[in-house]
Amino acid sequence: MSSSNQQQFRYTQTPSKVLHFRNLPWECTDDELIDICSPFGKVVNTKCNVGANRNQAFVEFADLNQAISMVSYYASSSEPAQVRGKTVYIQYSNRHEIVNNKGPGDIPGNVLLVTIEGVEAGDVSIDVIHLVFSAFGFVHKIATFEKTAGFQALIQFTDAETASSARNALDGRSIPRYLLPEHVGSCNLRISYSAHRDLNIKFQSNRSRDYTNPMLPVNQTAIDGALQPVIGPDGKKKEPESNVLLATIENMQYAVTVDVLHTVFSAFGTVQKIAIFEKNGQTQALVQYPDVTTGAAAREALEGHCIYDGGYCFQ
C-alpha cells in the first residue's frame, strides 16, 4: 500500500457512518462533497467549512456499510480522493451522526457578526467598515465593540439575502490594504450570522451608526473626535480628509434645518446622514458622504461661504 494511502486513513478508529474529511479546498460546498460520496451510497447530512482553517467537513451516510465502502475503496485505490484536484484525507469520525448541521452562526439572517482579525480597536474605522459592506446593499446600522474574540462589528442589512451576499463574498477575505493604517498587516474578516434582527443604536458615534435615522443624537465624544487635527510634514496642524464633515454655522438669522443642509450639501454628492447639534453656543452639524473624495470637494466649495447672502456662513 502506498504511503499516500496510509496518510489518508486511520484504521484504529471504529467505523462510523459519519466520515471526516480533511485538507479540503477553501469554501468547499455541500454539493462537492455529495458529488464525491454519492457513488458509495445516500448522503443524508453534511457539515462543511469546519476547523480553524475551514478546510474540514463531515459527511453522514444513510447506512454504515456505505461509509465503510467509501473508506475501503480509497484505501485500496492507487488514486487518492480529490476535490478540485486537491488530495483529500478521509477517516471515520468519532461521531455517529451529524447533529444541528447549522449552528446559530450559520442560520441566515439580516445581521452579520464580523470579527476583524489582526487589528486593535481604532485601527479600522466604522466608515471603512461601512464602505466595505455597503458594496453589497444598503447598510442600516453598524455597532462595533471589543470581545475576547477581538474587534467585532454587527452589521444590519435590509434582508437576509443581502447579508448572505456580503458574507459569501467577504468571509475569510481581507479589507483592502489602502483602507488600513500603515502599521496593520493582515486584516482578515470572519463572518457569521447574528441572532439579532434589529440593532438598538442610541447615538451616532465612532463606535455605532444608524444610517436610517438622521435625527438620532450624536455622542459628544464622536463630535470631539470627528475631525481631530494632525501634524503635517511642515510641523503645522492640518485637518485630515474624511467623508464626514463638521460644519459650524455662523451669523445665523433664521433656523437651520436638516432639509436646508441637505439641499446645500447634496449638490456635491449623495448625503448619507446629517446630525445638527449645539456646542459652545454654536450651531454645528455632521454631514456624511459615502467617500472621502466627495467630502473633500464639498468642504473646498463651501468653507467660508454662505447659504444665502448675509447669513449661514460655513466654517
Side-chain angles (χ1 to χ4, degrees):
M1 185 177 296
S2 68
S3 59
S4 62
N5 285 338
Q6 290 175 354
Q7 291 177 346
Q8 277 193 290
F9 306 99
R10 278 198 243 156
Y11 297 103
T12 56
Q13 288 187 298
T14 303
S16 167
K17 64 180 181 179
V18 178
L19 300 184
H20 179 205
F21 290 71
R22 297 180 293 118
N23 200 46
L24 289 164
W26 189 73
E27 283 197 341
C28 179
T29 65
D30 295 309
D31 289 341
E32 288 176 306
L33 287 174
I34 293 172
D35 186 58
I36 191 176
C37 295
S38 58
F40 302 94
K42 181 181 178 180
V43 174
V44 296
N45 215 342
T46 61
K47 187 175 181 65
C48 294
N49 303 313
V50 300
N53 297 318
R54 305 189 67 181
N55 63 347
Q56 301 179 48
F58 295 95
V59 174
E60 181 181 345
F61 283 95
D63 183 79
L64 175 62
N65 290 328
Q66 296 169 351
I68 294 174
S69 176
M70 184 173 189
V71 170
S72 300
Y73 174 83
Y74 283 110
S76 60
S77 174
S78 60
E79 296 295 330
Q82 292 187 332
V83 175
R84 297 187 214 162
K86 188 174 183 179
T87 297
V88 177
Y89 303 125
I90 308 169
Q91 64 191 47
Y92 293 115
S93 171
N94 57 9
R95 64 178 74 183
H96 296 285
E97 64 178 336
I98 298 175
V99 180
N100 296 329
N101 187 41
K102 289 186 179 295
D106 295 319
I107 300 174
N110 66 314
V111 179
L112 298 179
L113 173 61
V114 181
T115 301
I116 308 176
E117 300 177 337
V119 303
E120 301 290 337
D123 287 341
V124 180
S125 71
I126 200 169
D127 294 318
V128 166
I129 296 172
H130 181 267
L131 179 64
V132 171
F133 282 85
S134 62
F136 302 90
F138 178 65
V139 173
H140 286 225
K141 302 174 184 179
I142 298 177
T144 63
F145 48 91
E146 295 173 75
K147 293 287 187 180
T148 304
F151 183 54
Q152 296 182 305
L154 288 169
I155 302 173
Q156 179 178 328
F157 286 99
T158 304
D159 49 51
E161 290 76 15
T162 307
S164 295
S165 296
R167 186 193 185 203
N168 293 338
L170 296 175
D171 189 27
R173 305 301 174 91
S174 176
I175 292 177
R177 189 68 190 84
Y178 67 88
L179 294 175
L180 300 171
E182 292 184 0
H183 69 274
V184 175
S186 61
C187 179
N188 294 326
L189 302 174
R190 296 297 179 192
I191 306 175
S192 61
Y193 295 105
S194 169
H196 292 282
R197 292 297 177 263
D198 187 21
L199 302 180
N200 183 20
I201 306 297
K202 297 181 179 180
F203 298 97
Q204 312 286 20
S205 73
N206 294 331
R207 303 301 293 271
S208 63
R209 297 281 176 84
D210 183 344
Y211 299 95
T212 68
N213 185 3
M215 301 304 294
L216 197 67
V218 178
N219 192 315
Q220 188 66 32
T221 58
I223 298 171
D224 295 336
L227 288 175
Q228 289 290 340
V230 298
I231 306 301
D234 56 0
K236 297 180 180 180
K237 288 184 179 180
K238 66 175 184 178
E239 300 287 352
E241 291 187 342
S242 172
N243 68 315
V244 180
L245 300 180
L246 174 62
T248 300
I249 307 168
E250 300 177 339
N251 304 321
M252 286 183 56
Q253 297 177 1
Y254 307 97
V256 174
T257 66
V258 169
D259 290 337
V260 170
L261 292 179
H262 186 273
T263 300
V264 174
F265 283 90
S266 62
F268 304 91
T270 301
V271 174
Q272 295 178 317
K273 186 181 298 298
I274 297 176
I276 298 178
F277 51 92
E278 297 290 328
K279 183 181 178 184
N280 299 328
Q282 291 184 311
T283 298
Q284 295 184 316
L286 287 171
V287 182
Q288 179 175 313
Y289 288 103
D291 54 66
V292 173
T293 303
T294 307
R299 181 190 178 195
E300 183 177 355
L302 292 176
E303 186 173 16
H305 291 267
C306 300
I307 296 178
Y308 305 112
D309 289 340
Y312 303 158
C313 184
F314 290 113
Q315 295 294 330

